[in-house]
Each structure stands twice: as structure tokens, then as C-alpha cells.
């Protein structure tokens, strides 16, 4: 399975990308920073300056409906914030 | 940014404009940033669209736009700075211009063809002779003018016996076949009929010599040969007029003779306003003569303008880059076909030559047009328009108003300015060359104009 699961495309990450040259990805739980760095460099043809990772825990979510309470759980995931070398950029919209 | 000029020959040149990345980059980025704040895209809140996306969508258009703007600005600036006197406008060179790839190219090169105005010399001195035609005002013209004034202010006077050119006022009553008045026939009161307009001779002869109170029996349709006219005369509708036939009885109430106004102070006052200085017939005639002469001066000037223009254009030979001008005409006037250009090209060239000569004269003699000149011409035009309606003594403030009105219109203003300049150029030519004054009658002058 791939190290990088999907990029994080949100207003928050877009703003960081433009001002700080940082891009966010959801990555495999067991991937380490070295692997993430290599994967990003290979996929987007850029140089990575730093990788910060964090693991988000899943949460219990319950909803009240007519036919009783539905309860479930959101996924937990590992998130990596990748800082690129100066002057480089990743274009998530290149195929539009 | 790098602009270079290469002369092909005296009349043609190419201008190469190189635009490099750092020339346009800053402005393009600035515009993109501006765009980003405004652009509205589904899926994003306004102002939150990623920069890359905006660039992808609008970057090329903005780049082309900026480069284009930069190009035209710098090119015109270059033309002004280098004081290049070009004809028409620069046109893109069709052969050397490489196609531009807006995606990949970072430096752009544009090649333009320009046509240079030839250096000409306009020498105006007394050795050049031009005919200037003074149109003579002869007595016949003055007489005609006097006549038109007297008849304009003339009036109808009641007289005894109807003459050939008189008019009759009276009442119409329709008659039946036997000559009796029709009870429900058409009647009309106080109708004025003109004897000299009657087409039928027998009826006309009968009418001549009638007095007030006399009765005239005739068929008006036969007399005037027009049912339409008769309809108006009897004050009935067109449909009814189509149907009328038979005789009418016309009872004459009065006979009117047209009497031209007498040449006296009353007439002079009516013609030229109450405070006129014209008191006697001689003065009146002199004044008319002066007016006519004033009108003819304009015609003389006009003829002189045409003549001097033709002569100068012919005398001062110059070479023009015809090939380029044809191309330019075609490029700027899309609706012109090749044939039209071919047929009108000679006229266009003549205009262009004259324009160049005029520019040269303006430069040589340092002719300048200021606001006062323009205003003066506008006032003259206003006065001329008023005088066409027969208003000769229009107060200055009216003229001023009207002139202001004319100048308010942008197009009119340009025309007036052009005219002011033309007038000055003409005056300069007139003062610099030798004038050969020739007296000529009006008819002969008209013949000259027609040729």
C-alpha cells in the first residue's frame, strides 16, 4: 500500500501552502518521516525540507433519529505536514 | 525591454520589441493577486481560491493582456521619444514574426513594420504664382436681390379689376347639370384662387377682367387639372375630391393684387433690423452688393484652397510606401474590399500627400491653434447658420452660446479645430505666395468649379 493516502485540501492547508510552503497529507499509520519524505519527493518531484507528523484519534459519534440512536466511530489517521525547500511548490490541481 | 529599429529603405523600417520575463512578471503577479480576491469559484469561498488554481485559469489571459499593454505603451512611447514620423500605424510583420506560445515562452519578441513619412520641403515664396478669382458682383445680381427683398416684404392689395397675375377671394357653390345651385352640394367660403395658376386658358381668360361681386362659373378640376389641389381649395377630404365633377359657381368677394414692397426706409428696417444705417436706395444696393461680395469671398477662398492644394500636391513630389499603406488600409477598415481600396487608393494618396504638406507648413511656420481660434471659428459657423435662416444681427452672447453648444460635441469640436487649422494654413499660403488676382463673373466661376 502507498505511504501517502491523500492530500489534505482545506482552506487552512491552502493558506499554509501559500505562506509557509507547507502541504498536508494523510499517510499510512505506520509510515515514518523518512518514508514520507521519500514518497513526496518521488511523487511530486520536489525537495522536502521537513516533515512533521501527528496522529489523530477517532471519536465516538452518535446521532439521534426517529428509529433510535445511531452510534459509530470516526477513523483515526496519521497526518503529515511536509515543508518543501524554498521556491518549490506542489500543484494539487495540475490535472484540471 | 529592448526596442530596436532597422531601416529597410528610406520609407520602410521594422521595429523589434523584446519583452523579457522580469519586465512583466511583477505586474502580472500583482494582477493575479488582485484577481484572486475577486474571483468567484464554486467550491471555494470568495478570496479563498488557491493561487495555483487562479493562475491556471486566468494566468494566460492576464499574461497576454499585460504583455500586450506593455507592448503598445512602449511602442508608442518609443515612436514619440525617437520623434519618428510614421504613416498610419505599425503593423505586425507577417514574415518574420514567430508564433508565440503563451504557455512556454518567457521572453517575447514582436516585429513590426512601419512606414516612415518622407522628408519633404515646402517652399512658399513669391515666385510661386496662384490665381485668385475675385467674383464680380454685377448689377443684375443686385437687382435680383432687391427684387427678392421687395417681394418678400410685399403684400396683397385689394384692387378693382382682376389682372393676369392676381388672386381672387370668394365663395364656391356646387351646381347641378342644369346650372342650378345644389342644395346639398359642396360649398366653401373665402377661398383664394390664383388666376395665373389656372391651366385651362379659356377659364383663365374669362377670369381676367372680373370685378368684385361678379360671378364666375367654371369646373375647378378642369381649370387646375388636379383633383388633389381642388380638394384642398374646397376644404374637402381626398376621397370626396376624387368624386367631384361639374361646374361650380364662384362669387368674387374681392380681387387681390400682389404689390411688391416699395424701396423705402420701412423695407430697409424690415430687412436689416430697426437700427440699420441704410436710409437710401443707393445705400441699400451698396449693402446688398457688399453682402453678395462677402458670400463670394468664401467661394473664392474655397476655389483657392482647391487650386493651391492641387498645385502643391503636384509640385512637391514624394515617394510613399504604397504597399504598406494598402496593407494598413485593409487592416484598419475591415469592410473595405480589395477592389474598393484599389479604386479609392489614388484619392487617399492625394489626401495623405496634402496632409503631409500641411503638417510641414504648420511646422515650418509654427502655426498654433488655441482655444480662442477654435471659438472664433465656431462662432463664425454659428453666425453663418443663423444667417441662413435670415437672422443677420444675432447678438454676440447668442452666438457665444451656440458656439459653446457646437464645441460641446466631441466630433464637432474636432471638425471645428481642423477647420481652424485649415484656415490658418490657407492664410499662410495666401500670404507667402504671389497672388494673381483675376476678376471673373459668377457664371464663369461656376464653370471653373465644375471642371
Amino acid at each position: 500500500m502507498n505511504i501517502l493516502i491523500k492530500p489534505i485540501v482545506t482552506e487552512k492547508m491552502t493558506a499554509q501552502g501559500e505562506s509557509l510552503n507547507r502541504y498536508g497529507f494523510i499517510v499510512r499509520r505506520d509510515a515514518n518521516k523518512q518514508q514520507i519524505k521519500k514518497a513526496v519527493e518521488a511523487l511530486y518531484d520536489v525537495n522536502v525540507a521537513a516533515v512533521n507528523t501527528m496522529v489523530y484519534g477517532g471519536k465516538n459519534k452518535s446521532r439521534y433519529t426517529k428509529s433510535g440512536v445511531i452510534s459509530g466511530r470516526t477513523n483515526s489517521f496519521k497526518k503529515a505536514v511536509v515543508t518543501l525547500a524554498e521556491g518549490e511548490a506542489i500543484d494539487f490541481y495540475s490535472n484540471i | 525591454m529592448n526596442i530596436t529599429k532597422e531601416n529597410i529603405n528610406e520609407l520602410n523600417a521594422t521595429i523589434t520589441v523584446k519583452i523579457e520575463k522580469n519586465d512583466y512578471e511583477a505586474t502580472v503577479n500583482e494582477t493575479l493577486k488582485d484577481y484572486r480576491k475577486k474571483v468567484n469559484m464554486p467550491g471555494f469561498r470568495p478570496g479563498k481560491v488557491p493561487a495555483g488554481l487562479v493562475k491556471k485559469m486566468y494566468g494566460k489571459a492576464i499574461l497576454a493582456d499585460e504583455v500586450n499593454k506593455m507592448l503598445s505603451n512602449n511602442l508608442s512611447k518609443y515612436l514619440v521619444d525617437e520623434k519618428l514620423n510614421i504613416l498610419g500605424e505599425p503593423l505586425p510583420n507577417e514574415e518574420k514574426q514567430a508564433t508565440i506560445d503563451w504557455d512556454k515562452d518567457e521572453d517575447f519578441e514582436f516585429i513590426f513594420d512601419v512606414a516612415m513619412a518622407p522628408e519633404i520641403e515646402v517652399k512658399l515664396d513669391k515666385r510661386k504664382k496662384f490665381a485668385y478669382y475675385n467674383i464680380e458682383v454685377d448689377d443684375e445680381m443686385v437687382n435680383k436681390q432687391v427684387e427678392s427683398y421687395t417681394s418678400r416684404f410685399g403684400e396683397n392689395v385689394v384692387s378693382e379689376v382682376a389682372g393676369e397675375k392676381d388672386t381672387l377671394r370668394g365663395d364656391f357653390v356646387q351646381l347641378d347639370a342644369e346650372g342650378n345651385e345644389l342644395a346639398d352640394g359642396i360649398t366653401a367660403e373665402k377661398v383664394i384662387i390664383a388666376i395665373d395658376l389656372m391651366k385651362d386658358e379659356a377659364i383663365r381668360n374669362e377670369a381676367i377682367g372680373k370685378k368684385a361681386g361678379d360671378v364666375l362659373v367654371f369646373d375647378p378640376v378642369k381649370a387646375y387639372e388636379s383633383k388633389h389641389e381642388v380638394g384642398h381649395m374646397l376644404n374637402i377630404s381626398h376621397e370626396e375630391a376624387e368624386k367631384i365633377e361639374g361646374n361650380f359657381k364662384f362669387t368674387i368677394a374681392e380681387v387681390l393684387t400682389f404689390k411688391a414692397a416699395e424701396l423705402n426706409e420701412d423695407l430697409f428696417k424690415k430687412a436689416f433690423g430697426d437700427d440699420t444705417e441704410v436710409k437710401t436706395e443707393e445705400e441699400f444696393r451698396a449693402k446688398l452688393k457688399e453682402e453678395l461680395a462677402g458670400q463670394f469671398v468664401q467661394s473664392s477662398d474655397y476655389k483657392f484652397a482647391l487650386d493651391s492644394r492641387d498645385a502643391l500636391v503636384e509640385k512637391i513630389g514624394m515617394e510613399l510606401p504604397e504597399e504598406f499603406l494598402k496593407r494598413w488600409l485593409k487592416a484598419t477598415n475591415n469592410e473595405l474590399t480589395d477592389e474598393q481600396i484599389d479604386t479609392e487608393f489614388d484619392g487617399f494618396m492625394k489626401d495623405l500627400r496634402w496632409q503631409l504638406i500641411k503638417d510641414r507648413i504648420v511646422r515650418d511656420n509654427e502655426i498654433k491653434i488655441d482655444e480662442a481660434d477654435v471659438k472664433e471659428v465656431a462662432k463664425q459657423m454659428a453666425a453663418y447658420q443663423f444667417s441662413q435662416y435670415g437672422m443677420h444681427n444675432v447678438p454676440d452672447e447668442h452666438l457665444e452660446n451656440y458656439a459653446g453648444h457646437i464645441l460641446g460635441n466631441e466630433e464637432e469640436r474636432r471638425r471645428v479645430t481642423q477647420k481652424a487649422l485649415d484656415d490658418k494654413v490657407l492664410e499662410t499660403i495666401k500670404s507667402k505666395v504671389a497672388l494673381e488676382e483675376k476678376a471673373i463673373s459668377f457664371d464663369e466661376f461656376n464653370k471653373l468649379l465644375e471642371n
Side-chain angles (χ1 to χ4, degrees):
Chain A
M1 211 165 90
N2 284 330
I3 303 280
L4 304 174
I5 295 171
K6 61 180 179 187
I8 302 172
V9 181
T10 58
E11 270 179 23
K12 188 177 180 182
M13 276 327 296
T14 310
Q16 284 193 34
E18 274 157 28
S19 57
L20 303 168
N21 218 8
R22 283 185 194 155
Y23 298 87
F25 297 90
I26 291 176
V27 295
R28 227 164 71 189
R29 165 60 70 70
D30 55 1
N32 62 29
K33 290 182 179 179
Q34 294 301 322
Q35 287 170 325
I36 294 169
K37 181 177 174 179
K38 266 186 198 149
V40 171
E41 283 179 344
L43 186 59
Y44 294 104
D45 193 20
V46 289
N47 293 310
V48 174
V51 179
N52 300 83
T53 57
M54 57 214 83
V55 176
Y56 278 65
K59 280 180 179 174
N60 283 321
K61 298 271 178 187
S62 49
R63 195 152 49 95
Y64 301 94
T65 66
K66 260 191 271 180
S67 51
V69 180
I70 299 174
S71 55
R73 199 176 163 77
T74 59
N75 291 333
S76 72
F77 58 91
K78 188 173 200 174
K79 173 170 155 185
V81 175
V82 177
T83 309
L84 299 186
E86 234 179 78
E88 292 183 354
I90 295 176
D91 184 4
F92 289 137
Y93 307 96
S94 58
N95 54 354
I96 298 178
Chain B
M1 180 76 51
N2 198 352
I3 304 181
T4 50
K5 193 183 103 178
E6 208 177 307
N7 287 333
I8 296 172
N9 53 34
E10 288 213 340
L11 298 172
N12 292 293
T14 56
I15 293 180
T16 310
V17 184
K18 267 192 196 145
I19 296 182
E20 282 152 18
K21 194 177 176 187
N22 47 2
D23 291 328
Y24 61 80
E25 202 179 18
T27 43
V28 167
N29 284 342
E30 196 66 25
T31 332
L32 264 177
K33 233 184 205 168
D34 219 43
Y35 245 75
R36 219 193 127 200
K37 282 182 198 149
K38 288 179 206 149
V39 86
N40 232 330
M41 206 179 284
F44 299 96
R45 288 193 291 154
K48 300 286 186 188
V49 183
L53 200 53
V54 175
K55 193 173 176 186
K56 188 149 286 149
M57 292 188 72
Y58 301 104
K60 225 178 356 176
I62 292 174
L63 175 68
D65 218 43
E66 286 298 325
V67 169
N68 214 342
K69 221 189 282 173
M70 201 170 260
L71 180 68
S72 64
N73 280 350
N74 283 295
L75 190 61
S76 51
K77 195 167 149 247
Y78 177 78
L79 293 178
V80 173
D81 285 352
E82 299 282 311
K83 295 203 174 64
L84 292 180
N85 200 357
I86 65 161
L87 295 175
E89 293 149 17
L91 287 181
N93 187 310
E94 281 161 1
E95 292 152 24
K96 291 186 205 155
Q97 177 71 58
T99 44
I100 290 165
D101 185 351
W102 293 105
D103 285 328
K104 286 185 210 135
D105 291 2
E106 296 201 324
D107 299 343
F108 305 101
E109 195 178 68
F110 300 92
I111 302 170
F112 288 96
D113 285 338
V114 290
M116 314 294 293
E119 271 303 309
I120 51 168
E121 228 176 314
V122 183
K123 276 195 208 141
L124 297 172
D125 53 33
K126 296 283 179 195
R127 268 181 300 175
K128 284 209 173 76
K129 265 192 187 172
F130 287 101
Y132 187 82
Y133 296 99
N134 281 322
I135 302 171
E136 284 185 327
V137 183
D138 55 21
D139 283 346
E140 200 184 317
M141 279 183 216
V142 178
N143 284 343
K144 241 185 225 165
Q145 203 70 357
V146 169
E147 208 172 284
S148 93
Y149 268 105
T150 52
S151 68
R152 197 191 310 167
F153 294 109
E155 54 193 353
N156 284 323
V157 185
V158 178
S159 67
E160 296 249 307
V161 183
E164 219 169 298
K165 286 191 173 167
D166 291 350
T167 46
L168 304 172
R169 195 207 298 271
D171 306 335
F172 270 113
V173 180
Q174 198 173 15
L175 300 180
D176 61 13
E178 278 100 52
N180 300 316
E181 283 185 26
L182 272 174
D184 53 354
I186 299 163
T187 59
E189 288 181 359
K190 292 192 176 159
V191 181
I192 293 179
I193 57 174
I195 293 177
D196 58 343
L197 289 182
M198 288 183 178
K199 304 244 164 59
D200 189 280
E201 215 163 302
I203 298 174
R204 192 165 64 209
N205 287 336
E206 203 182 327
I208 295 171
K210 290 278 186 216
K211 296 192 196 88
D214 284 354
V215 170
L216 194 61
V217 175
F218 68 103
D219 180 355
V221 177
K222 200 172 153 204
Y224 289 98
E225 287 176 6
S226 157
K227 288 194 171 169
H228 181 83
E229 237 172 84
V230 173
H232 278 290
M233 212 168 353
L234 298 173
N235 205 9
I236 54 180
S237 68
H238 291 311
E239 292 84 41
E240 282 179 273
E242 282 301 318
K243 281 184 235 149
I244 55 166
E245 52 185 15
N247 283 345
F248 275 73
K249 190 168 88 178
F250 185 72
T251 316
I252 300 169
E254 37 182 17
V255 178
L256 299 167
T257 309
F258 179 76
K259 202 162 157 238
E262 277 175 40
L263 280 174
N264 55 21
E265 269 181 55
D266 266 358
L267 174 67
F268 305 152
K269 274 185 187 161
K270 273 182 201 158
F272 299 119
D274 279 341
D275 48 354
T276 177
E277 287 166 10
V278 179
K279 293 270 189 288
T280 63
E281 194 185 331
E282 279 82 59
E283 279 173 356
F284 182 59
R285 294 182 75 94
K287 173 110 183 167
L288 287 183
K289 196 164 179 171
E290 195 183 305
E291 254 179 28
L292 283 172
Q295 283 172 19
F296 288 152
V297 164
Q298 279 181 7
S299 310
S300 300
D301 277 349
Y302 177 66
K303 172 78 179 150
F304 176 73
L306 285 185
D307 284 352
S308 58
R309 170 195 157 139
D310 287 350
L312 283 174
V313 166
E314 201 170 313
K315 199 151 232 166
I316 299 170
M318 58 177 107
E319 270 187 48
L320 292 174
E322 300 195 2
E323 198 75 5
F324 176 85
L325 289 171
K326 264 186 196 167
R327 222 177 96 203
W328 177 64
L329 272 185
K330 223 178 287 177
T332 45
N333 302 304
N334 281 333
E335 66 272 20
L336 278 184
T337 61
D338 284 2
E339 280 167 41
Q340 271 174 315
I341 289 183
D342 278 341
T343 49
E344 284 164 27
F345 195 63
D346 281 346
F348 170 74
M349 291 298 276
K350 200 170 155 193
D351 278 348
L352 186 64
R353 280 166 207 272
W354 175 234
Q355 189 62 41
L356 288 171
I357 293 173
K358 221 159 56 178
D359 287 349
R360 186 76 218 183
I361 294 177
V362 169
R363 223 168 344 134
D364 285 350
N365 298 290
E366 288 170 5
I367 298 175
K368 280 198 187 83
I369 294 292
D370 52 27
E371 190 60 34
D373 293 324
V374 176
K375 197 143 200 187
E376 194 53 42
V377 173
K379 264 165 83 174
Q380 273 174 24
M381 276 166 75
Y384 181 69
Q385 280 192 8
F386 278 122
S387 75
Q388 287 205 318
Y389 296 121
M391 297 155 77
H392 292 287
N393 297 316
V394 184
D396 209 42
E397 99 195 64
H398 265 61
L399 283 184
E400 198 113 338
N401 257 335
Y402 199 76
H405 187 70
I406 292 179
L407 294 182
N409 186 334
E410 197 58 39
E411 206 169 297
E412 286 285 316
R413 191 188 179 83
R414 217 173 312 134
R415 233 186 55 190
V416 172
T417 317
Q418 190 60 40
K419 187 169 161 16
L421 188 68
D422 283 356
D423 284 354
K424 278 209 168 176
V425 169
L426 194 63
E427 241 164 70
T428 314
I429 297 176
K430 225 158 134 186
S431 64
K432 291 241 165 149
V433 298
L435 287 185
E436 206 179 332
E437 301 211 9
K438 283 182 192 163
I440 189 171
S441 76
F442 188 61
D443 290 339
E444 275 175 57
F445 179 77
N446 274 342
K447 261 182 227 154
L448 268 184
L449 262 192
E450 272 166 25
N451 290 336

